[in-house]
Amino acid sequence: MALYMGLDVGGTFVKGIIIDEKGKIVCEDSVPTVTGEGLADCIETLAETLVRNAGVVFSAIKGAGVGCPGLIDSTRGEVVFAGNMNLKNYPLQKLLQEKLSIPVKICNDANAAALGEARFGAGKGYKDSVLITLGTGVGGGIVIGGKLFEGYKSAGAEIGHMVIEHGGAKCTCGRRGCFEAYCSARALTARTKWAMEEDTSSAMWNTYTHDSADGRTAFEYMDTDRTAKQVVGWYLKYLNCGIANIANIFRPQVIMIGGGVAAQGSRLSVPLQEMLNKEIFAGTDYAPVKVECATLGNKAGAFGAAALNIK
């Protein structure tokens, strides 16, 4: 049985799994993330634990993949820049190959998640897919013909920084009107709090305070509270704008929604599908695009990292 290791570097933990070529998990574990030059040692420790827990030796692992935040040059195996990891021009692939003595590949963490969902999650069975992750920011990745599309110098696709409202709200990147500025969980939370302050009679106040309201609040009350329904409508309008843009540019078979907001399931995917079907260029008769919620949760990145070595 061929085995593959996937390692997903997060801001708090590095998550790791060993899977077979069909995506069956043999073992999984995690360690606290060490930033800076010690990252490779941190990953090595986790890799050793995984191999030990799997009851195998490193030579039984066909390859290890690593998904890491930041600007990643996957052709050179280098973390070009990752500010939150305190890394610059860091030869992660070379260091890990020396430590583990097995083939190692690395890529951006959002790309890894996209590949994971494409191979083993909501995109399984489709050759062309796009993952949009809705979290603190908006990210994602593109899979074409079953392979990651990483662009020039593996720079990846900054899905969250296409403009959907010219001259709109300022984004963390410095531009105005970015997808991220309207559709991140942070943006949804801010809109919810603003709406609650505007409508002090909203039922959302029955359970939440200004401090505790978050991206789930409006969805929880959308069926019984007018203000909550308006917040959800506002959010879906902008989310659909971004999704329709992606659908018209790439015409993938499926667009998957990941991140914390995806926990809303059909309350998110069903209205988005209806909206997209009305807006997609040339309609849905010839090449429909499905909208699905991602299914792998926070394991998508580790699955995708492992898949970097699966033919």
PDB file of all heavy atoms in Angstrom, residues 125-142:
ATOM      1  N   GLY A 125     -14.180  13.838  -8.470  1.00  0.00           N
ATOM      2  CA  GLY A 125     -14.922  13.459  -9.671  1.00  0.00           C
ATOM      3  C   GLY A 125     -14.963  14.544 -10.725  1.00  0.00           C
ATOM      4  O   GLY A 125     -15.429  14.311 -11.844  1.00  0.00           O
ATOM      5  N   TYR A 126     -14.480  15.740 -10.391  1.00  0.00           N
ATOM      6  CA  TYR A 126     -14.425  16.841 -11.348  1.00  0.00           C
ATOM      7  C   TYR A 126     -12.974  17.135 -11.713  1.00  0.00           C
ATOM      8  O   TYR A 126     -12.088  17.090 -10.858  1.00  0.00           O
ATOM      9  CB  TYR A 126     -15.042  18.109 -10.766  1.00  0.00           C
ATOM     10  CG  TYR A 126     -16.485  17.988 -10.357  1.00  0.00           C
ATOM     11  CD1 TYR A 126     -16.843  17.921  -9.016  1.00  0.00           C
ATOM     12  CD2 TYR A 126     -17.498  17.950 -11.318  1.00  0.00           C
ATOM     13  CE1 TYR A 126     -18.176  17.824  -8.633  1.00  0.00           C
ATOM     14  CE2 TYR A 126     -18.827  17.849 -10.947  1.00  0.00           C
ATOM     15  CZ  TYR A 126     -19.162  17.783  -9.601  1.00  0.00           C
ATOM     16  OH  TYR A 126     -20.477  17.683  -9.236  1.00  0.00           O
ATOM     17  N   LYS A 127     -12.730  17.475 -12.959  1.00  0.00           N
ATOM     18  CA  LYS A 127     -11.373  17.829 -13.378  1.00  0.00           C
ATOM     19  C   LYS A 127     -11.054  19.300 -13.116  1.00  0.00           C
ATOM     20  O   LYS A 127      -9.913  19.659 -12.854  1.00  0.00           O
ATOM     21  CB  LYS A 127     -11.176  17.512 -14.865  1.00  0.00           C
ATOM     22  CG  LYS A 127     -11.128  16.024 -15.187  1.00  0.00           C
ATOM     23  CD  LYS A 127     -10.796  15.803 -16.655  1.00  0.00           C
ATOM     24  CE  LYS A 127     -10.665  14.315 -16.966  1.00  0.00           C
ATOM     25  NZ  LYS A 127     -10.332  14.079 -18.392  1.00  0.00           N
ATOM     26  N   ASP A 128     -12.074  20.150 -13.217  1.00  0.00           N
ATOM     27  CA  ASP A 128     -11.863  21.593 -13.073  1.00  0.00           C
ATOM     28  C   ASP A 128     -12.688  22.118 -11.894  1.00  0.00           C
ATOM     29  O   ASP A 128     -13.918  21.995 -11.887  1.00  0.00           O
ATOM     30  CB  ASP A 128     -12.271  22.330 -14.350  1.00  0.00           C
ATOM     31  CG  ASP A 128     -11.525  21.813 -15.578  1.00  0.00           C
ATOM     32  OD1 ASP A 128     -10.320  21.556 -15.462  1.00  0.00           O
ATOM     33  OD2 ASP A 128     -12.163  21.654 -16.629  1.00  0.00           O
ATOM     34  N   SER A 129     -12.008  22.705 -10.921  1.00  0.00           N
ATOM     35  CA  SER A 129     -12.706  23.197  -9.739  1.00  0.00           C
ATOM     36  C   SER A 129     -11.995  24.410  -9.164  1.00  0.00           C
ATOM     37  O   SER A 129     -10.811  24.631  -9.411  1.00  0.00           O
ATOM     38  CB  SER A 129     -12.799  22.089  -8.675  1.00  0.00           C
ATOM     39  OG  SER A 129     -11.507  21.696  -8.238  1.00  0.00           O
ATOM     40  N   VAL A 130     -12.746  25.180  -8.388  1.00  0.00           N
ATOM     41  CA  VAL A 130     -12.192  26.329  -7.675  1.00  0.00           C
ATOM     42  C   VAL A 130     -12.669  26.262  -6.238  1.00  0.00           C
ATOM     43  O   VAL A 130     -13.846  25.989  -5.974  1.00  0.00           O
ATOM     44  CB  VAL A 130     -12.644  27.664  -8.304  1.00  0.00           C
ATOM     45  CG1 VAL A 130     -12.133  28.845  -7.474  1.00  0.00           C
ATOM     46  CG2 VAL A 130     -12.147  27.782  -9.745  1.00  0.00           C
ATOM     47  N   LEU A 131     -11.758  26.490  -5.306  1.00  0.00           N
ATOM     48  CA  LEU A 131     -12.117  26.573  -3.892  1.00  0.00           C
ATOM     49  C   LEU A 131     -12.006  28.030  -3.456  1.00  0.00           C
ATOM     50  O   LEU A 131     -10.996  28.685  -3.714  1.00  0.00           O
ATOM     51  CB  LEU A 131     -11.181  25.719  -3.041  1.00  0.00           C
ATOM     52  CG  LEU A 131     -11.362  25.858  -1.511  1.00  0.00           C
ATOM     53  CD1 LEU A 131     -12.705  25.280  -1.070  1.00  0.00           C
ATOM     54  CD2 LEU A 131     -10.212  25.195  -0.762  1.00  0.00           C
ATOM     55  N   ILE A 132     -13.051  28.529  -2.802  1.00  0.00           N
ATOM     56  CA  ILE A 132     -13.028  29.853  -2.186  1.00  0.00           C
ATOM     57  C   ILE A 132     -13.116  29.644  -0.688  1.00  0.00           C
ATOM     58  O   ILE A 132     -14.059  29.026  -0.195  1.00  0.00           O
ATOM     59  CB  ILE A 132     -14.214  30.721  -2.656  1.00  0.00           C
ATOM     60  CG1 ILE A 132     -14.204  30.881  -4.170  1.00  0.00           C
ATOM     61  CG2 ILE A 132     -14.178  32.090  -1.978  1.00  0.00           C
ATOM     62  CD1 ILE A 132     -15.454  31.546  -4.718  1.00  0.00           C
ATOM     63  N   THR A 133     -12.133  30.141   0.054  1.00  0.00           N
ATOM     64  CA  THR A 133     -12.143  29.995   1.503  1.00  0.00           C
ATOM     65  C   THR A 133     -12.549  31.310   2.146  1.00  0.00           C
ATOM     66  O   THR A 133     -11.960  32.354   1.883  1.00  0.00           O
ATOM     67  CB  THR A 133     -10.758  29.571   2.037  1.00  0.00           C
ATOM     68  OG1 THR A 133      -9.758  30.502   1.594  1.00  0.00           O
ATOM     69  CG2 THR A 133     -10.400  28.189   1.526  1.00  0.00           C
ATOM     70  N   LEU A 134     -13.579  31.241   2.981  1.00  0.00           N
ATOM     71  CA  LEU A 134     -14.125  32.422   3.639  1.00  0.00           C
ATOM     72  C   LEU A 134     -13.782  32.349   5.126  1.00  0.00           C
ATOM     73  O   LEU A 134     -14.460  31.682   5.904  1.00  0.00           O
ATOM     74  CB  LEU A 134     -15.646  32.471   3.444  1.00  0.00           C
ATOM     75  CG  LEU A 134     -16.131  32.387   1.984  1.00  0.00           C
ATOM     76  CD1 LEU A 134     -17.651  32.274   1.948  1.00  0.00           C
ATOM     77  CD2 LEU A 134     -15.665  33.609   1.200  1.00  0.00           C
ATOM     78  N   GLY A 135     -12.717  33.028   5.490  1.00  0.00           N
ATOM     79  CA  GLY A 135     -12.295  33.044   6.879  1.00  0.00           C
ATOM     80  C   GLY A 135     -11.976  34.470   7.284  1.00  0.00           C
ATOM     81  O   GLY A 135     -12.695  35.399   6.913  1.00  0.00           O
ATOM     82  N   THR A 136     -10.903  34.660   8.034  1.00  0.00           N
ATOM     83  CA  THR A 136     -10.472  36.005   8.398  1.00  0.00           C
ATOM     84  C   THR A 136     -10.282  36.841   7.142  1.00  0.00           C
ATOM     85  O   THR A 136     -10.581  38.030   7.107  1.00  0.00           O
ATOM     86  CB  THR A 136      -9.164  35.948   9.198  1.00  0.00           C
ATOM     87  OG1 THR A 136      -9.371  35.119  10.341  1.00  0.00           O
ATOM     88  CG2 THR A 136      -8.744  37.324   9.645  1.00  0.00           C
ATOM     89  N   GLY A 137      -9.776  36.197   6.105  1.00  0.00           N
ATOM     90  CA  GLY A 137      -9.685  36.804   4.784  1.00  0.00           C
ATOM     91  C   GLY A 137     -10.468  35.960   3.800  1.00  0.00           C
ATOM     92  O   GLY A 137     -11.251  35.095   4.188  1.00  0.00           O
ATOM     93  N   VAL A 138     -10.246  36.205   2.513  1.00  0.00           N
ATOM     94  CA  VAL A 138     -10.814  35.368   1.455  1.00  0.00           C
ATOM     95  C   VAL A 138      -9.660  34.867   0.601  1.00  0.00           C
ATOM     96  O   VAL A 138      -8.870  35.662   0.080  1.00  0.00           O
ATOM     97  CB  VAL A 138     -11.818  36.142   0.577  1.00  0.00           C
ATOM     98  CG1 VAL A 138     -12.253  35.292  -0.616  1.00  0.00           C
ATOM     99  CG2 VAL A 138     -13.041  36.555   1.391  1.00  0.00           C
ATOM    100  N   GLY A 139      -9.548  33.568   0.491  1.00  0.00           N
ATOM    101  CA  GLY A 139      -8.488  32.970  -0.315  1.00  0.00           C
ATOM    102  C   GLY A 139      -9.059  31.892  -1.200  1.00  0.00           C
ATOM    103  O   GLY A 139     -10.266  31.815  -1.418  1.00  0.00           O
ATOM    104  N   GLY A 140      -8.186  31.028  -1.659  1.00  0.00           N
ATOM    105  CA  GLY A 140      -8.660  29.929  -2.483  1.00  0.00           C
ATOM    106  C   GLY A 140      -7.617  29.439  -3.450  1.00  0.00           C
ATOM    107  O   GLY A 140      -6.460  29.879  -3.432  1.00  0.00           O
ATOM    108  N   GLY A 141      -8.022  28.515  -4.280  1.00  0.00           N
ATOM    109  CA  GLY A 141      -7.116  27.934  -5.254  1.00  0.00           C
ATOM    110  C   GLY A 141      -7.890  27.387  -6.437  1.00  0.00           C
ATOM    111  O   GLY A 141      -9.105  27.183  -6.366  1.00  0.00           O
ATOM    112  N   ILE A 142      -7.165  27.141  -7.523  1.00  0.00           N
ATOM    113  CA  ILE A 142      -7.771  26.730  -8.790  1.00  0.00           C
ATOM    114  C   ILE A 142      -7.139  25.431  -9.253  1.00  0.00           C
ATOM    115  O   ILE A 142      -5.906  25.295  -9.271  1.00  0.00           O
ATOM    116  CB  ILE A 142      -7.556  27.827  -9.852  1.00  0.00           C
ATOM    117  CG1 ILE A 142      -8.179  29.150  -9.385  1.00  0.00           C
ATOM    118  CG2 ILE A 142      -8.121  27.400 -11.201  1.00  0.00           C
ATOM    119  CD1 ILE A 142      -7.635  30.369 -10.104  1.00  0.00           C
TER     120      ILE A 142
END
